[in-house]
Amino acid sequence: MDTQQQQQQQSFIQGAKVLMVGAGGIGCELLKTLALSGFQDIHIIDMDTIEVSNLNRQFLFRRSHVGQSKAKVARDAVLRFRPHINIRSYHANVKNPEFDVDFFKQFDVVLNGLDNLDARRHVNRLCLAADVPLVESGTTGFLGQVTVHVKGKTECYECQTKPAPKTYPVCTITSTPTKFVHCIVWAKDLLFAKLFGDKNQDNDLNVRANNAASSSKETEDVFERAEDEDIDQYGRKIYDHVFGYNIEAALSNEETWKNRTRPRPIYSKEVLPESLSQQNGTTQNCSATDDDSTVSAMPLLGLKNPQELWGLTQNSLVFIEALKLFFAKRKKEIGHLTFDKDDQLAVEFVTAAANIRAESFGIPLHSLFEAKGIAGNIVHAVATTNAIVAGLIVIEAIKVLKKDADKYRMTYCLEHPSRKMLLMPVEPFEPNPACYVCSKTPLVLEINTQKSKLRDLVDKIVTAKLGMNLPLIMHGASLLYEVGDDLDDIMVANYNANLEKSLSELPSPVINGSILTVEDLQQELSCKINVKHREEFDEEKEPEGMVLSGWTQSPATNGESASTSNNENEKAVDVTESSSGPEMASKKRRLSETQPENDKKETENVESDDDEIMEIENPVMVSKKKKRVE
């Protein structure tokens, strides 16, 4: 690069206005690299605060910063060695209404380092609506990737469906677990949710034994704590019910255990002392000034090492003590809690519950460290990978600013060399013509229009699958549902009434052949849903009672049939785990019939114990579809 080109590139850099979303592992490295590369105007959005576990890889933070805003502390740290540049921090959720399309339009490029798929989809849609280029990134262990998304030139972030969470049948989770991950799912998604989550959520922890079919009322009484009920007795009651009575109820079904190892019922009197106050410490020893987010049962029981393997008695003590602490120190949260891998007390409770259940079913026990990794699907972060990926992001951002589209690259960081390469760059893919986000391809929804309510459509499809935050649903000229702060009481009442009606009973009936328009005004996203009435669904494979297709479907080409995937509807209980993704949809991405089976696309959906979640494609396979950059 000659002097004139260097000066021109520097002018692009210095004149650019950049938005960073995420100030975690990659974000810290990225902000530092942007500042040292000459960027003068940087804005950072991050809703998280600094935790002790961040300090081994997020090098802009120190122990004194624990509990403070990541975005603000990162800004202050960089300004200490680059005081002349402008950095603005926002301690907020990127999905807040102030970060709308107009907000995004002021930036020349957006750089993502987010920790969940929902937020990433949200940013992707805002970038499309604002016509602002997006550079995505992620790391997990030694693996990483950086991708460029420019409207009309490359595929958007949602052109290919991200891998669905690994799912398990309800019967496996509730009755016949064979792996420790089954116990984790049971403890996290069933027991924890039952005790501390939404009480109105349908969640039956009773095994469907022959003599227990009518025990739903008894179950409600078991999990409901009376106002004057002693907390120790309540904890023992829950323990005996889920680890004792439920196992005995399961054993009553002889057919289930003909070819399986029979589990062992465990009751509290077998493993716990008569008075728990005899143990080291009680909840009374917990200071009233303790930060709720750091409340822990381990110190009260003399447990210090999270990598230590607890026995049945220790797990039982942690189970009871953690339950007591939730009621003693976090009672206001009960009824609204969801499992969070960064919630120490929640991790302790889930680990203990999963281990007790594993002991009952003859499954090897795991340490808290291991259990947290499984529950949060964690691959522990490598700081060097974050630094490499941050550098690659800046390289692609500079190309975007120069509008050097021919040089855009998706770059993969590999753990082991492939063809003597640890960094593998490939050309970006073209937009997927079947993408419902950037190509406006209609979706198809199979649903029983006579039985399914509008609420089912909103919760299971519009919110959960399409990721809309402020949805609006229309049938022809009739507005069926809308969310917003500017609605008057009459409109809210009408929409709420519609939610409880079946689709065919709505003011403008939705039946076979109806076409719905679904919009999110905040994301400026609109899509069409073609409704197809279907009477019956397989309860095991299609537990939601509806099937959405079209988001991975592409037109058939060269005599090939279009590829459709609905992996998300396979099971009833899910847990994020490494899994194969759908086949590539667009013609340019389709593998030839002659390629080896093991060269097909593989993807993983893995969350790092850093702050990024990524979908890793098999870069060796990708390189065979796209011309390699030598």
Side-chain angles (χ1 to χ4, degrees), residues 149 174-175 206 253 298 379 435 444 455 517 552 557 576 589:
H149 307 279
T174 60
S175 307
N206 260 348
N253 190 338
M298 290 176 61
V379 176
C435 176
V444 177
R455 181 182 297 280
T517 301
T552 60
T557 54
T576 306
R589 297 189 124 205

Side-chain angles (χ1 to χ4, degrees), residues 448-467:
N448 188 318
T449 58
Q450 296 171 356
K451 295 181 180 179
S452 295
K453 297 179 180 180
L454 181 62
R455 181 182 297 280
D456 299 325
L457 174 65
V458 172
D459 292 345
K460 297 177 182 179
I461 301 297
V462 178
T463 302
K465 285 187 166 56
L466 302 185

